[in-house]
Each structure stands twice: as C-alpha cells, then as structure tokens.
Amino acid sequence: MKRTIFRTLAAALGLSALLTVTGCGGDSAADTAGGSSDVTLTIGDQAKTLQTILAGSGALKGADYKVKWAEFEGAAPLFQAVQAGAADTTYSADLPALQALSGGVKFKNVAALKNDGHHTGIVVRKNSDVKSVKDLKGKKVVVSSAKGSIAEYLLANVLQQNGLKYSDVKVQYLLPTDAQAAFSSGKIEVWATFGVYQAVGLQQGGRLLVDGADGRISGYGFIGASEKTLADKAKKAALGDFLKRLGTALKWTSTHQDAYADAIVERNGADPAIAKTLASAAYSKVLPVTPEVNGTVQDVADLMHGIGVLDPNVDVAKSADASVLK
C-alpha cells in the first residue's frame, strides 16, 4: 500500500520537475569539493539547506571526491529520488524517514542530526479563535507537506498530550509553498509546518500556537544512504568523510550565526529577519545512530502507527547502519 503511495506521489509531483542536480561548476557548494577522484556523491537536500551550510562554512574544501546536489521542496520527493537512483543520500526529520522506510524505499539511516525542536510548529492566524491546543477540536488543520511529515507528528503528539484524538481534527495535506500562499492570503487558519515556511508564516500574519521544543518532537533528523550507495565501497568511504565535514559545518552554524544567516539570504533569497530565525534553528551536530537515538525515534514510529499514519510500522534499529560514521 505505502509503495503505491510513493509511486503515486512521484507521478503527481513530477519527479523531473522537482529534481535539480547541481554539479561542480557555477556557484554550487560542490565547486569546493572537486577533487581528482572519480567518485561523485549526489547529496539529497531540501530547500538548499545542506548546500548553504557547507558552502558558507567551506567544510568541503579539500575533499577528494565530487559532490552534486539533488534539491527538493520537501522530503517525500527526495525519498522518491533515492528510490529511483537519482540521489545517493536522504536528509529529513525522523518521521519522513520512517514514512519512506514503511513505504519500501531502500535506504539506511547512517547519521543522526539534532536540534531543539523550535523549527517545527503549529501556526494560526492572528485573529483565530484558537488560543490553545484544545481549541483545535473540530478544526481543519493543514499539514505540510505530505502524509507523515514531522509537522504531522507534532500535531498528533500535542493532541494526545491534551486529551484529544487525532480524529478530533480534520487534516488536509498541502506542499509547503502552496500552503504558504494560502496561509498568507487568509485561506488557512491552522497550519502545521516547519523551517523557513514556519518563519514566513509567522512573518505574514501568523501566531505560534505551539512548537516542537521540550520533547514535543524528538529533535532528531537523519542522513540516510541508499543500499546501492552503501554497497559501493568507494562511495561509502566518501560518504563517511562527507558526514564528518557536515559535522564541522554544523558546528560553524552554531558559532557563526550571523555569517550563516547571510549565506541563507545570499543563496535562498530569504528575508534577513527570516534568515536569522532559520540560522538559530539549525541542526547543531551530526551524531552516530546509537541505540538511544533509535529508541527515541521508535517512540515516534509507535505513536504514528497507533493513529494509522505509519503502516506498516518500522523497526528503527534494523533500519540503521552505524558503520559509515566512525
């Protein structure tokens, strides 16, 4: 069933229209990683997030492999690209990775990312009568982007924490850019979203109802790699080096937030105020996929399976490969 969902989603969105592969020329971050090796990693990304961090920090300088970027608006088409062999790696919060694994995408989580959860939130119009989570009962909530996003987990978790059932709200799924346009025009009252879209929503007439801090989301994300990539010894070695460089880049974002915000403005065209918000909400470190990480994310999987969003459920520990990041 979930395999059909992924195939249908790819057809509906148009994989070729969503995929942009940037080589080692131009103004790509990859032009700092053009070594003499014949190995090329095609790194999956969302909204130029990883590319911007690595370009701003210069962390790819001196790498002896090439990097190309596969850019997407959201996680679902990125995972479909990995399934189709158009990208070597995944990049997402925990629930999109779980959804993809449940849907049969062949990859392993090879590194964990961590932040404080502030980057995911439920935003309402300033004039909305929704003042608390309990006021969501009977309301339509737009979730970005597809079924199984991290924003949907936040919604499900806070409803449960406040004594409500998931069926107490009416969920509609919209891609972030479509939801952003509808929210800014006043057509959406309640929007569960993340990252730049959350920041823009708050700037354009929104009010934060609740965010993912204080354990309302796990705060974990994952870098994954396709099984084909992991079976290629040269690519696997390059990926291990890339993850260490990504760790260096994430440390740079923590200590150089102004420079990181400037890089977001330059590469993404973001408003400077939004760029500062995004810079403060970035993942802060790259971690091994440990039993503790797997256990925390298994709780996410079990909750979403319990409300029928994740079916079949996922054994998180069996979906990890801890041998890449050493």
Side-chain angles (χ1 to χ4, degrees), residues 74-140:
L78 168 52
F79 283 109
Q80 184 60 35
V82 170
Q83 182 80 325
D88 290 311
T89 65
T90 71
Y91 163 60
S92 77
D94 53 9
L95 185 54
L98 295 172
Q99 190 78 357
L101 288 163
S102 178
V105 181
K106 303 297 184 183
F107 73 98
K108 296 285 188 181
N109 292 322
V110 297
L113 309 170
K114 190 73 170 82
N115 65 23
D116 62 11
H118 285 291
H119 69 295
T120 303
I122 298 175
V123 181
V124 300
R125 300 293 306 173
K126 285 183 178 178
N127 60 356
S128 171
D129 60 1
V130 176
K131 306 300 182 183
S132 70
V133 171
K134 291 184 178 181
D135 294 333
L136 292 175
K137 187 171 183 177
K139 292 285 188 178
K140 181 176 78 173

Side-chain angles (χ1 to χ4, degrees), residues 250-258:
L250 292 181
K251 288 180 181 177
W252 173 84
T253 66
S254 299
T255 56
H256 297 77
Q257 284 194 6
D258 288 343

